[in-house]
Amino acid sequence: MLLVFFMIIFWLFRAIVAVCAQYSVDIIGIIPYNLTQEIIISFLVIVCIVLVAKKKTIGALAYLLIYGVYFGNHLFSGLINIFQGGTLTMDMSVNLICDFCAILLAIFCLFDNLLSKSKKSDTKHRNTDWYFNNEEYDKKIDNDNRDDKNQYKFY
């Protein structure tokens, strides 16, 4: 659930970035790369957040695919530009950090979903199994020859 919370926070952050870009307000140099795609992605991410909250693997895969295509492309091109000797400006570095956080969040979300799917739910309940699954107690009650056995065990 913590990752879903981070997904919502990042979604709100990207929504604020899109609104500020629409009104030409600068937020530390963070810009949407394509405002139309950003709006479409925002609505798709809402669906992905709901699916991830329900532990559906398709939601985590779609989230990784959407963010991988949108932010991964810019992250890759920015890193190639840096490695080829390009200048790293403050705006570019902040955008690269946001891209990296988006990709990392999507990867963690997918891994968390896949790992939680592999865990089996525990069918033992310590609070009640001592009473309902206790064969020694059942045998003791069955061997009781009193008139009033006081069996208060309801099934």
Side-chain angles (χ1 to χ4, degrees), residues 116-134:
S116 68
K117 288 283 185 182
S118 67
K119 292 181 182 177
K120 294 181 180 177
S121 64
D122 189 18
T123 58
K124 296 192 178 222
H125 302 285
R126 291 181 10 183
N127 295 339
T128 57
D129 279 355
W130 66 271
Y131 182 72
F132 289 108
N133 290 336
N134 194 345

Side-chain angles (χ1 to χ4, degrees), residues 38-39 41 44 53 57 64 67 92 98 103 107 123 129 137-139:
E38 187 91 23
I39 292 169
I41 286 172
L44 291 175
T57 307
L64 179 63
Y67 274 10
M92 187 177 177
C98 287
I103 298 293
I107 290 171
T123 58
D129 279 355
Y137 182 74
D138 289 339
K139 288 179 184 175

Side-chain angles (χ1 to χ4, degrees), residues 99-112:
D99 294 343
F100 182 72
C101 289
I103 298 293
L104 201 62
L105 180 63
I107 290 171
F108 283 159
C109 180
L110 179 66
F111 283 155
D112 178 56

